[in-house]
Amino acid sequence: MALVSKSKAAKLAGVSRTTIHRYVTDGKLSMTGDQIETSELLRVFGSISMNSAGHVQDSKNVQHVTTGGQGAGQAQIELMGRVIDDLRADRDNWRNKADELVELLKAEQDNIRLLTHQSPGTNRSESLGVLVVAGLAVLVVGVLVWLALA
């Protein structure tokens, strides 16, 4: 297909030149030298403006050309599937981190109980305040450690 400048590519895709530049910088849109192939515009944006002979057109008599219905739709479905898989993986990772922090808090509560010579059922009213403060301190430390490792 034809090679066009960034400005022309922006006009064809119906976006700003800044958007084209950002897509190139982010790697979403590739360039050949200092120009962009119209096939790249079709791949990324799904449609461009061309005349009936298949040439880039600047006039107001423009026909909208797309990448062939089901093929473009299927590509979008596959992309969305990958995005969903990534989001699910992130969600599972956050759940695991939360479970780890809960286990850490429970372990620290047990340690505090042992250090203060308290059995699980004795003198609960006095030990409850100590456990709450200690538990919150451990939770804060755990979150800070986790953030430092992330």
Side-chain angles (χ1 to χ4, degrees):
M1 296 198 119
L3 292 171
V4 294
S5 67
K6 285 183 184 178
S7 296
K8 187 66 141 189
K11 288 179 186 176
L12 291 172
V15 297
S16 69
R17 189 177 186 286
T18 306
T19 299
I20 295 291
H21 181 72
R22 186 175 63 245
Y23 274 41
V24 168
T25 302
D26 292 346
K28 295 178 183 176
L29 185 65
S30 60
M31 293 185 66
T32 303
D34 62 345
Q35 294 188 322
I36 300 170
E37 287 193 32
T38 53
S39 60
E40 271 294 286
L41 295 175
L42 284 171
R43 181 185 65 81
V44 173
F45 296 103
S47 65
I48 59 174
S49 300
M50 301 177 80
N51 66 14
S52 60
H55 296 90
V56 176
Q57 178 176 322
D58 285 329
S59 70
K60 295 185 186 215
N61 188 11
V62 172
Q63 177 184 1
H64 207 60
V65 177
T66 63
T67 57
Q70 290 183 350
Q74 185 63 31
Q76 287 179 334
I77 290 170
E78 290 172 6
L79 175 65
M80 297 313 285
R82 288 191 301 269
V83 169
I84 289 170
D85 290 342
D86 288 345
L87 290 173
R88 285 182 177 150
D90 286 347
R91 178 204 58 204
D92 293 342
N93 187 31
W94 285 110
R95 281 183 181 167
N96 290 338
K97 293 288 185 188
D99 290 342
E100 290 173 13
L101 287 174
V102 167
E103 291 301 317
L104 180 64
L105 179 60
K106 287 179 182 177
E108 289 301 318
Q109 287 175 338
D110 290 341
N111 288 340
I112 290 170
R113 189 176 299 121
L114 290 172
L115 290 172
T116 57
H117 304 292
Q118 298 174 6
S119 62
T122 60
N123 205 1
R124 293 192 78 117
S125 60
E126 291 177 11
S127 64
L128 183 61
V130 172
L131 286 176
V132 168
V133 170
L136 288 174
V138 168
L139 181 61
V140 169
V141 169
V143 168
L144 291 174
V145 168
W146 178 75
L147 286 174
L149 294 176

mmCIF file of all heavy atoms in Angstrom, residues 3-17 19-21 24 29-31 34-38 40-42 45 47-49 56 58:
data_model
loop_
_atom_site.group_PDB
_atom_site.id
_atom_site.type_symbol
_atom_site.label_atom_id
_atom_site.label_comp_id
_atom_site.label_asym_id
_atom_site.label_seq_id
_atom_site.Cartn_x
_atom_site.Cartn_y
_atom_site.Cartn_z
ATOM 1 N N LEU A 3 2.663 4.880 1.085
ATOM 2 C CA LEU A 3 3.312 5.494 2.236
ATOM 3 C C LEU A 3 2.826 6.927 2.351
ATOM 4 O O LEU A 3 2.718 7.641 1.354
ATOM 5 C CB LEU A 3 4.827 5.474 2.076
ATOM 6 C CG LEU A 3 5.499 4.105 2.138
ATOM 7 C CD1 LEU A 3 6.965 4.220 1.755
ATOM 8 C CD2 LEU A 3 5.373 3.522 3.520
ATOM 9 N N VAL A 4 2.521 7.360 3.582
ATOM 10 C CA VAL A 4 2.039 8.721 3.805
ATOM 11 C C VAL A 4 2.764 9.321 5.009
ATOM 12 O O VAL A 4 3.299 8.603 5.852
ATOM 13 C CB VAL A 4 0.510 8.755 4.038
ATOM 14 C CG1 VAL A 4 -0.238 8.324 2.790
ATOM 15 C CG2 VAL A 4 0.107 7.899 5.212
ATOM 16 N N SER A 5 2.755 10.641 5.108
ATOM 17 C CA SER A 5 3.363 11.338 6.248
ATOM 18 C C SER A 5 2.471 11.184 7.484
ATOM 19 O O SER A 5 1.330 10.739 7.389
ATOM 20 C CB SER A 5 3.527 12.817 5.922
ATOM 21 O OG SER A 5 2.250 13.419 5.797
ATOM 22 N N LYS A 6 3.000 11.597 8.637
ATOM 23 C CA LYS A 6 2.207 11.537 9.869
ATOM 24 C C LYS A 6 0.966 12.415 9.756
ATOM 25 O O LYS A 6 -0.115 12.038 10.197
ATOM 26 C CB LYS A 6 3.041 11.979 11.075
ATOM 27 C CG LYS A 6 4.038 10.963 11.541
ATOM 28 C CD LYS A 6 4.753 11.474 12.797
ATOM 29 C CE LYS A 6 5.823 10.533 13.252
ATOM 30 N NZ LYS A 6 6.549 11.037 14.424
ATOM 31 N N SER A 7 1.118 13.594 9.157
ATOM 32 C CA SER A 7 -0.026 14.504 9.014
ATOM 33 C C SER A 7 -1.099 13.879 8.134
ATOM 34 O O SER A 7 -2.290 13.925 8.452
ATOM 35 C CB SER A 7 0.421 15.832 8.419
ATOM 36 O OG SER A 7 1.313 16.480 9.291
ATOM 37 N N LYS A 8 -0.663 13.301 7.011
ATOM 38 C CA LYS A 8 -1.604 12.663 6.095
ATOM 39 C C LYS A 8 -2.253 11.450 6.766
ATOM 40 O O LYS A 8 -3.445 11.198 6.618
ATOM 41 C CB LYS A 8 -0.871 12.248 4.817
ATOM 42 C CG LYS A 8 -1.763 11.732 3.751
ATOM 43 C CD LYS A 8 -2.658 12.820 3.244
ATOM 44 C CE LYS A 8 -2.802 12.691 1.754
ATOM 45 N NZ LYS A 8 -3.493 13.837 1.210
ATOM 46 N N ALA A 9 -1.458 10.695 7.526
ATOM 47 C CA ALA A 9 -1.982 9.535 8.238
ATOM 48 C C ALA A 9 -3.065 9.951 9.231
ATOM 49 O O ALA A 9 -4.098 9.285 9.359
ATOM 50 C CB ALA A 9 -0.853 8.804 8.964
ATOM 51 N N ALA A 10 -2.837 11.067 9.914
ATOM 52 C CA ALA A 10 -3.830 11.563 10.866
ATOM 53 C C ALA A 10 -5.127 11.918 10.158
ATOM 54 O O ALA A 10 -6.223 11.593 10.631
ATOM 55 C CB ALA A 10 -3.274 12.771 11.615
ATOM 56 N N LYS A 11 -5.027 12.570 9.000
ATOM 57 C CA LYS A 11 -6.222 12.925 8.229
ATOM 58 C C LYS A 11 -6.962 11.678 7.776
ATOM 59 O O LYS A 11 -8.184 11.598 7.855
ATOM 60 C CB LYS A 11 -5.845 13.778 7.021
ATOM 61 C CG LYS A 11 -5.428 15.185 7.363
ATOM 62 C CD LYS A 11 -5.039 15.961 6.124
ATOM 63 C CE LYS A 11 -4.488 17.322 6.481
ATOM 64 N NZ LYS A 11 -4.015 18.053 5.301
ATOM 65 N N LEU A 12 -6.222 10.684 7.278
ATOM 66 C CA LEU A 12 -6.841 9.458 6.782
ATOM 67 C C LEU A 12 -7.544 8.675 7.888
ATOM 68 O O LEU A 12 -8.610 8.108 7.682
ATOM 69 C CB LEU A 12 -5.793 8.566 6.117
ATOM 70 C CG LEU A 12 -5.223 9.057 4.810
ATOM 71 C CD1 LEU A 12 -4.060 8.188 4.376
ATOM 72 C CD2 LEU A 12 -6.304 9.062 3.742
ATOM 73 N N ALA A 13 -6.923 8.638 9.054
ATOM 74 C CA ALA A 13 -7.481 7.876 10.172
ATOM 75 C C ALA A 13 -8.538 8.660 10.941
ATOM 76 O O ALA A 13 -9.248 8.098 11.764
ATOM 77 C CB ALA A 13 -6.361 7.450 11.113
ATOM 78 N N GLY A 14 -8.615 9.959 10.688
ATOM 79 C CA GLY A 14 -9.596 10.779 11.395
ATOM 80 C C GLY A 14 -9.204 11.071 12.829
ATOM 81 O O GLY A 14 -10.062 11.198 13.699
ATOM 82 N N VAL A 15 -7.892 11.126 13.079
ATOM 83 C CA VAL A 15 -7.393 11.440 14.419
ATOM 84 C C VAL A 15 -6.407 12.597 14.313
ATOM 85 O O VAL A 15 -6.055 13.030 13.214
ATOM 86 C CB VAL A 15 -6.710 10.206 15.071
ATOM 87 C CG1 VAL A 15 -7.691 9.069 15.274
ATOM 88 C CG2 VAL A 15 -5.524 9.740 14.248
ATOM 89 N N SER A 16 -5.937 13.071 15.447
ATOM 90 C CA SER A 16 -4.976 14.177 15.430
ATOM 91 C C SER A 16 -3.566 13.658 15.140
ATOM 92 O O SER A 16 -3.268 12.480 15.313
ATOM 93 C CB SER A 16 -4.982 14.902 16.768
ATOM 94 O OG SER A 16 -4.432 14.075 17.771
ATOM 95 N N ARG A 17 -2.704 14.563 14.731
ATOM 96 C CA ARG A 17 -1.302 14.206 14.478
ATOM 97 C C ARG A 17 -0.638 13.761 15.779
ATOM 98 O O ARG A 17 0.212 12.879 15.786
ATOM 99 C CB ARG A 17 -0.561 15.409 13.875
ATOM 100 C CG ARG A 17 0.828 15.060 13.393
ATOM 101 C CD ARG A 17 1.510 16.253 12.722
ATOM 102 N NE ARG A 17 2.785 15.901 12.135
ATOM 103 C CZ ARG A 17 3.889 15.659 12.829
ATOM 104 N NH1 ARG A 17 3.871 15.743 14.139
ATOM 105 N NH2 ARG A 17 5.016 15.348 12.217
ATOM 106 N N THR A 19 -2.047 12.096 18.157
ATOM 107 C CA THR A 19 -2.430 10.701 18.381
ATOM 108 C C THR A 19 -1.548 9.774 17.559
ATOM 109 O O THR A 19 -1.054 8.758 18.057
ATOM 110 C CB THR A 19 -3.911 10.479 18.021
ATOM 111 O OG1 THR A 19 -4.715 11.312 18.862
ATOM 112 C CG2 THR A 19 -4.316 9.026 18.192
ATOM 113 N N ILE A 20 -1.307 10.121 16.309
ATOM 114 C CA ILE A 20 -0.427 9.318 15.449
ATOM 115 C C ILE A 20 0.965 9.245 16.073
ATOM 116 O O ILE A 20 1.554 8.161 16.185
ATOM 117 C CB ILE A 20 -0.354 9.899 14.015
ATOM 118 C CG1 ILE A 20 -1.720 9.824 13.326
ATOM 119 C CG2 ILE A 20 0.727 9.206 13.198
ATOM 120 C CD1 ILE A 20 -2.182 8.433 12.997
ATOM 121 N N HIS A 21 1.494 10.380 16.496
ATOM 122 C CA HIS A 21 2.829 10.424 17.105
ATOM 123 C C HIS A 21 2.883 9.546 18.364
ATOM 124 O O HIS A 21 3.830 8.786 18.567
ATOM 125 C CB HIS A 21 3.220 11.859 17.427
ATOM 126 C CG HIS A 21 4.580 11.971 18.038
ATOM 127 N ND1 HIS A 21 5.734 11.775 17.324
ATOM 128 C CD2 HIS A 21 4.955 12.234 19.314
ATOM 129 C CE1 HIS A 21 6.767 11.916 18.126
ATOM 130 N NE2 HIS A 21 6.321 12.188 19.345
ATOM 131 N N VAL A 24 2.912 5.870 17.486
ATOM 132 C CA VAL A 24 4.230 5.470 16.988
ATOM 133 C C VAL A 24 5.189 5.326 18.162
ATOM 134 O O VAL A 24 5.920 4.334 18.270
ATOM 135 C CB VAL A 24 4.765 6.480 15.946
ATOM 136 C CG1 VAL A 24 6.233 6.224 15.645
ATOM 137 C CG2 VAL A 24 3.936 6.420 14.671
ATOM 138 N N LEU A 29 1.799 1.702 16.400
ATOM 139 C CA LEU A 29 1.793 1.984 14.971
ATOM 140 C C LEU A 29 3.245 2.047 14.510
ATOM 141 O O LEU A 29 4.051 2.748 15.102
ATOM 142 C CB LEU A 29 1.089 3.333 14.726
ATOM 143 C CG LEU A 29 0.868 3.787 13.304
ATOM 144 C CD1 LEU A 29 -0.098 2.858 12.583
ATOM 145 C CD2 LEU A 29 0.285 5.202 13.286
ATOM 146 N N SER A 30 3.575 1.272 13.453
ATOM 147 C CA SER A 30 4.966 1.271 12.995
ATOM 148 C C SER A 30 5.133 2.172 11.779
ATOM 149 O O SER A 30 4.188 2.425 11.041
ATOM 150 C CB SER A 30 5.413 -0.154 12.676
ATOM 151 O OG SER A 30 4.615 -0.701 11.665
ATOM 152 N N MET A 31 6.367 2.636 11.611
ATOM 153 C CA MET A 31 6.692 3.522 10.501
ATOM 154 C C MET A 31 7.732 2.866 9.605
ATOM 155 O O MET A 31 8.519 2.044 10.054
ATOM 156 C CB MET A 31 7.231 4.854 11.020
ATOM 157 C CG MET A 31 6.216 5.688 11.757
ATOM 158 S SD MET A 31 6.856 7.307 12.235
ATOM 159 C CE MET A 31 7.109 8.076 10.652
ATOM 160 N N ASP A 34 10.409 7.644 7.589
ATOM 161 C CA ASP A 34 9.673 8.723 8.247
ATOM 162 C C ASP A 34 8.227 8.777 7.767
ATOM 163 O O ASP A 34 7.553 9.786 7.943
ATOM 164 C CB ASP A 34 10.375 10.066 8.027
ATOM 165 C CG ASP A 34 10.454 10.447 6.553
ATOM 166 O OD1 ASP A 34 10.238 9.560 5.709
ATOM 167 O OD2 ASP A 34 10.725 11.620 6.260
ATOM 168 N N GLN A 35 7.757 7.668 7.182
ATOM 169 C CA GLN A 35 6.386 7.611 6.690
ATOM 170 C C GLN A 35 5.666 6.375 7.239
ATOM 171 O O GLN A 35 6.296 5.460 7.758
ATOM 172 C CB GLN A 35 6.368 7.606 5.162
ATOM 173 C CG GLN A 35 6.885 8.911 4.571
ATOM 174 C CD GLN A 35 6.685 8.956 3.069
ATOM 175 O OE1 GLN A 35 6.836 7.959 2.390
ATOM 176 N NE2 GLN A 35 6.345 10.132 2.573
ATOM 177 N N ILE A 36 4.349 6.382 7.078
ATOM 178 C CA ILE A 36 3.511 5.302 7.588
ATOM 179 C C ILE A 36 2.777 4.658 6.421
ATOM 180 O O ILE A 36 2.209 5.366 5.580
ATOM 181 C CB ILE A 36 2.497 5.846 8.610
ATOM 182 C CG1 ILE A 36 3.231 6.503 9.779
ATOM 183 C CG2 ILE A 36 1.573 4.743 9.099
ATOM 184 C CD1 ILE A 36 2.329 7.273 10.716
ATOM 185 N N GLU A 37 2.776 3.338 6.380
ATOM 186 C CA GLU A 37 2.040 2.642 5.336
ATOM 187 C C GLU A 37 0.551 2.690 5.663
ATOM 188 O O GLU A 37 0.149 2.563 6.810
ATOM 189 C CB GLU A 37 2.492 1.181 5.235
ATOM 190 C CG GLU A 37 3.856 1.038 4.622
ATOM 191 C CD GLU A 37 4.154 -0.403 4.241
ATOM 192 O OE1 GLU A 37 3.217 -1.136 3.877
ATOM 193 O OE2 GLU A 37 5.322 -0.768 4.306
ATOM 194 N N THR A 38 -0.254 2.857 4.625
ATOM 195 C CA THR A 38 -1.705 2.908 4.846
ATOM 196 C C THR A 38 -2.222 1.580 5.388
ATOM 197 O O THR A 38 -3.219 1.558 6.113
ATOM 198 C CB THR A 38 -2.443 3.288 3.547
ATOM 199 O OG1 THR A 38 -2.038 2.404 2.500
ATOM 200 C CG2 THR A 38 -2.169 4.723 3.166
ATOM 201 N N GLU A 40 -0.822 -0.083 7.697
ATOM 202 C CA GLU A 40 -0.657 0.058 9.143
ATOM 203 C C GLU A 40 -1.828 0.833 9.739
ATOM 204 O O GLU A 40 -2.306 0.519 10.812
ATOM 205 C CB GLU A 40 0.653 0.777 9.478
ATOM 206 C CG GLU A 40 1.839 -0.115 9.639
ATOM 207 C CD GLU A 40 1.711 -1.029 10.841
ATOM 208 O OE1 GLU A 40 1.847 -0.583 11.990
ATOM 209 O OE2 GLU A 40 1.454 -2.220 10.629
ATOM 210 N N LEU A 41 -2.263 1.854 9.017
ATOM 211 C CA LEU A 41 -3.422 2.624 9.491
ATOM 212 C C LEU A 41 -4.660 1.741 9.548
ATOM 213 O O LEU A 41 -5.451 1.817 10.486
ATOM 214 C CB LEU A 41 -3.667 3.833 8.582
ATOM 215 C CG LEU A 41 -2.561 4.892 8.566
ATOM 216 C CD1 LEU A 41 -2.878 5.961 7.527
ATOM 217 C CD2 LEU A 41 -2.388 5.511 9.937
ATOM 218 N N LEU A 42 -4.830 0.901 8.540
ATOM 219 C CA LEU A 42 -5.967 -0.029 8.533
ATOM 220 C C LEU A 42 -5.867 -1.010 9.697
ATOM 221 O O LEU A 42 -6.867 -1.308 10.354
ATOM 222 C CB LEU A 42 -6.022 -0.803 7.210
ATOM 223 C CG LEU A 42 -6.540 -0.038 6.007
ATOM 224 C CD1 LEU A 42 -6.325 -0.845 4.740
ATOM 225 C CD2 LEU A 42 -8.008 0.284 6.177
ATOM 226 N N PHE A 45 -6.390 1.383 13.062
ATOM 227 C CA PHE A 45 -7.622 2.156 13.202
ATOM 228 C C PHE A 45 -8.833 1.488 12.563
ATOM 229 O O PHE A 45 -9.960 1.912 12.795
ATOM 230 C CB PHE A 45 -7.430 3.561 12.623
ATOM 231 C CG PHE A 45 -6.398 4.363 13.374
ATOM 232 C CD1 PHE A 45 -5.132 4.539 12.862
ATOM 233 C CD2 PHE A 45 -6.694 4.901 14.616
ATOM 234 C CE1 PHE A 45 -4.173 5.257 13.550
ATOM 235 C CE2 PHE A 45 -5.750 5.616 15.316
ATOM 236 C CZ PHE A 45 -4.479 5.794 14.791
ATOM 237 N N SER A 47 -10.075 1.619 9.648
ATOM 238 C CA SER A 47 -10.592 2.239 8.434
ATOM 239 C C SER A 47 -9.807 3.506 8.131
ATOM 240 O O SER A 47 -9.230 4.119 9.006
ATOM 241 C CB SER A 47 -12.074 2.579 8.587
ATOM 242 O OG SER A 47 -12.251 3.549 9.585
ATOM 243 N N ILE A 48 -9.798 3.856 6.843
ATOM 244 C CA ILE A 48 -9.198 5.118 6.403
ATOM 245 C C ILE A 48 -10.044 5.668 5.282
ATOM 246 O O ILE A 48 -10.891 4.972 4.727
ATOM 247 C CB ILE A 48 -7.727 4.949 5.945
ATOM 248 C CG1 ILE A 48 -7.624 3.957 4.796
ATOM 249 C CG2 ILE A 48 -6.839 4.553 7.100
ATOM 250 C CD1 ILE A 48 -6.226 3.859 4.197
ATOM 251 N N SER A 49 -9.813 6.911 4.917
ATOM 252 C CA SER A 49 -10.563 7.547 3.843
ATOM 253 C C SER A 49 -9.771 7.438 2.544
ATOM 254 O O SER A 49 -8.623 7.859 2.471
ATOM 255 C CB SER A 49 -10.802 9.022 4.165
ATOM 256 O OG SER A 49 -11.530 9.134 5.361
ATOM 257 N N VAL A 56 -5.472 7.727 -1.837
ATOM 258 C CA VAL A 56 -5.777 8.655 -0.766
ATOM 259 C C VAL A 56 -6.415 9.902 -1.360
ATOM 260 O O VAL A 56 -5.966 10.420 -2.368
ATOM 261 C CB VAL A 56 -4.482 9.009 -0.002
ATOM 262 C CG1 VAL A 56 -4.753 10.050 1.047
ATOM 263 C CG2 VAL A 56 -3.884 7.757 0.609
ATOM 264 N N ASP A 58 -8.229 13.838 -0.638
ATOM 265 C CA ASP A 58 -8.400 14.950 0.282
ATOM 266 C C ASP A 58 -9.736 15.671 0.117
ATOM 267 O O ASP A 58 -10.125 16.430 0.975
ATOM 268 C CB ASP A 58 -7.295 15.999 0.066
ATOM 269 C CG ASP A 58 -5.972 15.528 0.632
ATOM 270 O OD1 ASP A 58 -5.986 14.775 1.626
ATOM 271 O OD2 ASP A 58 -4.937 15.911 0.085
#
